[in-house]
Amino acid sequence: MKHLFTVVLCTFVFQIKGKGNLFPNRLKDDRNSLFTIRGRVVDAVSKFPISGASVKMVENPKGCITDTEGKFVLMNCPLGRVALQVSSIGYKNQMLNNLIINAGKELILTVELEENVQNLAEVKVIGLGKEKQNGESAFVSSRTLSMSDTRRFAGSRNDPARMVTGLAGVVSNNDFRNDIVVRGASPNGILWQLEGINIPNPNHFGNSGGTGGPVSMLNNNVLDKSDFLTGAFPAQYGNVQSGVFDLRIRNGNADKNEYVAQVGLNGFEFGAEGGISKKGASFLANYRYSALDLLNKLGISAGVGVAVPRYQDLNFKFHFPFNVANSINIFGLFGKSGIEVSPESLEKNNTQNVVPLGVRNTSNTSVIGVQWKHFLTTKTSTIFSLTYSHAQEYTSTDSLNIKQNVYQNAYNNNLSESRLTALFQFRHKFSRKDDIGLGFTHTQFKFNLIDSVRFVNQTEQFNILHNSQNVAALSQSYIYWQHRFDGKFSTHLGVHVESLNLNRKTSIEPRFGLKYQLSENETLSFGAGLYSKIQNPLTYFYEVKNADGSTETINNNLDFTKSWQFVLSYNIKFKSDWQMKYELYHQQIFNVPVTIKPSYYSTLNLGAGYGLILQDSLVNAGTGQNTGMELTLERQFHENWYLLSTLSLYKSTYKGSNGINKNTAFNGNFVMNGLVGREFNLAKNKMLSVDLKVTYSGGRRFVPVNTELSKKYGTTIYDNEKSYDEHFKNYFRFDAKVGYRLNRAKLTHEFSFDVQNVFNTQNIFTQTYDTRTAQTSTQYQYGIFPIINYRLTF
């Protein structure tokens, strides 16, 4: 990874000194163009380029026609927001509104046109709605996200995971992490995909088996439009329970070298992209280093209290198009993080009972893949990819040896997981009405775990708790058929099959989707299916010691956790920029691991805290239910302002082996979000923006402290039998963001000042036992939290 960083840096220095491209431009007449829009127009189903399509600017005479590769170039475009109309014979016209053109950076688009099922005499113009996604077969609970929204929305911190917390059904009442709780389900049920491949937790300081963390490794400067799905997923998605984040990395600009530099709370960043051959090959890379760590190394106090987070990450993609039918992509994600909390820093900051007396944590994540896209015909495409990922986490904690009055290393944990994944996808478009898709994925897992403990007041060697190496494989396949009966009625039929070789468990999962166009502005949709997810590897390989000293893994025969999901959706559009969406859903969950002996324990609650609570002797006897409704009112950005308002009412319950119906840890019952923003054009090249966000949701459910036992043992002991019966006071947060954009001749300056929790609301995070006062102590979430960010593109 260090060598790759060096290559990117040297490329940047070389090009700055040379004041030009490493290779000549293919479009020489565009070399001196300052403000340019480039892109491709493709068929929405087959993804094959559409030649001869018309691309015209609205309220401007500029226009062009796509070439044989579906490419187009509009030169000398005006700064600011513009709109494009894209059309082609036999396809529905597409209107692209509110495109932003900045100085020093070309706008690159991929436009997907949907073929008319019937030849209509009139011309239809449709907007680029938020509901259209890469997986067209997702009729319900899906949304396509523009990564530019991570820079727009207040409180998002340039993080895709935090951005989606403004959507219906998504809850995040944890200021410290970006865990995504969907419809009352555990964040561990989220599926992260990058270029169609399942990837490990893409967050710094992520815990074992989790899907979130304090800082995202994903960089919005390189991500393309991506899909977020919250239920009743189509057949191509498997090994998932609560939500899918299907991410894409965009291609770099093959015709012009461009750069971005950025500094803010997330770190110091630098990105570069450009051409690497005359045939249109391109590169794209973005590197980030922790701002707080760099300031600390320079001797500047950042006021972070007991510890300084250290992290760095790299996102990249190389695109090699050989011809219109063949291309190869090489993509990757690397992240490294670490933090140390010393006993001395805890004493200095008068902090007790928040973390162990001393802790050191480091983690490394890497993903690298090769992808070959090939068109057999204009209507038939295939994708082959091979991806390797590795995630490693090391944790070491200290405790106080009371007899010797010294701090000593008490616990060490070293966990690693490697994945090798092969993927094949096939798609064929029979006609305007019919297309099919099928695919196969095989993932080989390897897990290593070693941990040891030295008990308090002991000075002898560590006691090994676990020392295991295990392998497993998960195979997934799917097939679906999508049919459009006429211009109003569409259906999706599919099946997904999963098989785990560890215990020869197999799950066959039917999927169904239906969409009916009630009128020109009204749509009624329905989605249903069976969904399965394997257990966390640490659960399968959890070891217990027998009386004779031997070890045994007694959870490795666990079956998939499964759920039936049903979603009914109604969407209405009024005028050209307002729409309202209403969804009802029900999830019936079964095969949930619980303990053999009667207890409250259920894996549906994993992810409520940091780390994984391991149990032995588990069986698939637990159940759960998630039921609710969601209402979304949205005004897409038009006439310089937008609005997004959501209301979610839900109930999330479970039954452990004790047979008692209880609230899950994520049953907040309700969440309301409101986002609104407006832009003010100060001059031709200056723009001021104001964005606001308000969140009001049910308080975090908690396990109460058992004060008597805590006092007896001198540490926090929880009353597990009362788990999640109560919740803290409701969560409220108001965020405000002010941005300023200045376009110069060849570069764009962007400043933003984002104040989170403007009213300094005291939201409760957790409670522990305080040995100083012999009472329960309350820890709160972030108070008022200002974030300054500066971004330069050139």
Side-chain angles (χ1 to χ4, degrees), residues 461-698:
Q461 65 182 10
F462 281 82
N463 299 284
I464 301 296
L465 298 178
H466 305 92
N467 187 2
S468 60
Q469 295 184 356
N470 300 277
V471 295
L474 177 68
S475 297
Q476 301 180 72
S477 58
Y478 70 86
I479 183 170
Y480 70 82
W481 168 56
Q482 187 165 272
H483 179 71
R484 304 162 189 83
F485 291 92
D486 50 37
K488 295 183 177 181
F489 189 45
S490 301
T491 186
H492 167 89
L493 294 172
V495 63
H496 189 100
V497 180
E498 299 183 51
S499 180
L500 182 65
N501 77 334
L502 176 69
N503 49 26
R504 298 182 180 179
K505 300 293 185 182
T506 299
S507 177
I508 302 175
E509 306 160 16
R511 310 287 173 86
F512 173 72
L514 184 68
K515 181 168 66 174
Y516 183 71
Q517 196 78 27
L518 296 173
S519 67
E520 185 177 354
N521 297 318
E522 295 176 282
T523 304
L524 184 67
S525 304
F526 177 75
L530 178 64
Y531 303 89
S532 301
K533 191 178 190 311
I534 64 173
Q535 311 305 326
N536 185 280
L538 293 180
T539 299
Y540 284 119
F541 301 124
Y542 183 64
E543 296 180 342
V544 295
K545 287 189 176 182
N546 299 317
D548 59 1
S550 61
T551 60
E552 183 181 2
T553 55
I554 57 177
N555 289 335
N556 56 9
N557 199 44
L558 286 172
D559 202 349
F560 298 87
T561 295
K562 300 183 179 183
S563 68
W564 285 102
Q565 298 189 15
F566 308 91
V567 180
L568 180 65
S569 176
Y570 171 74
N571 189 81
I572 180 171
K573 297 181 180 180
F574 35 100
K575 295 185 178 180
S576 60
D577 45 16
W578 284 90
Q579 67 176 351
M580 184 173 65
K581 185 176 182 179
Y582 181 76
E583 287 199 339
L584 292 172
Y585 66 87
H586 176 73
Q587 300 174 359
Q588 190 68 39
I589 311 169
F590 58 102
N591 271 20
V592 181
V594 295
T595 56
I596 293 179
K597 295 181 180 180
S599 77
Y600 71 96
Y601 180 86
S602 171
T603 56
L604 292 182
N605 294 315
L606 296 181
Y610 186 84
L612 187 66
I613 302 176
L614 297 175
Q615 292 279 353
D616 58 12
S617 304
L618 298 178
V619 293
N620 293 101
T623 61
Q625 286 188 359
N626 296 327
T627 304
M629 60 79 64
E630 298 165 0
L631 179 65
T632 300
L633 177 64
E634 180 175 11
R635 184 188 193 271
Q636 296 187 21
F637 195 98
H638 181 60
E639 296 178 343
N640 292 331
W641 73 281
Y642 71 91
L643 179 141
L644 175 62
S645 177
T646 65
L647 169 65
S648 302
L649 303 176
Y650 62 98
K651 185 176 182 180
S652 176
T653 60
Y654 80 99
K655 284 185 180 180
S657 55
N658 57 12
I660 300 175
N661 195 51
K662 295 174 65 68
N663 297 300
T664 68
F666 312 101
N667 187 25
N669 295 127
F670 76 95
V671 58
M672 294 186 291
N673 287 292
L675 295 91
V676 64
R678 182 174 178 83
E679 291 183 355
F680 303 89
N681 295 315
L682 305 180
K684 183 178 179 180
N685 62 336
K686 299 177 183 178
M687 188 274 294
L688 179 70
S689 63
V690 178
D691 298 271
L692 307 175
K693 179 183 179 183
V694 61
T695 298
Y696 184 56
S697 64

Side-chain angles (χ1 to χ4, degrees), residues 667-669 698-702 724-730:
N667 187 25
N669 295 127
R700 291 169 57 88
R701 292 199 173 268
F702 65 96
Y724 316 122
D725 291 340
E726 301 178 16
H727 63 81
F728 296 128
K729 69 175 184 179
N730 292 338

Side-chain angles (χ1 to χ4, degrees), residues 165-178:
T165 58
L167 305 181
V170 184
V171 182
S172 178
N173 53 14
N174 185 342
D175 296 346
F176 305 112
R177 297 172 57 84
N178 63 5

Side-chain angles (χ1 to χ4, degrees), residues 12 104-105 151 219-222 250 257-263 268-273 284-287 748 750 789-794:
F12 167 66
K105 186 171 181 60
R151 293 190 291 271
N219 196 290
N220 61 1
N221 289 312
V222 304
R250 63 182 178 86
N257 294 315
E258 298 175 337
Y259 311 94
V260 59
Q262 185 168 307
V263 59
F268 291 93
E269 303 181 32
F270 171 74
E273 61 183 288
L284 171 68
N286 202 103
Y287 172 72
T748 298
E750 294 179 79
N789 193 80
Y790 168 64
R791 184 170 183 260
L792 178 68
T793 55
F794 55 101

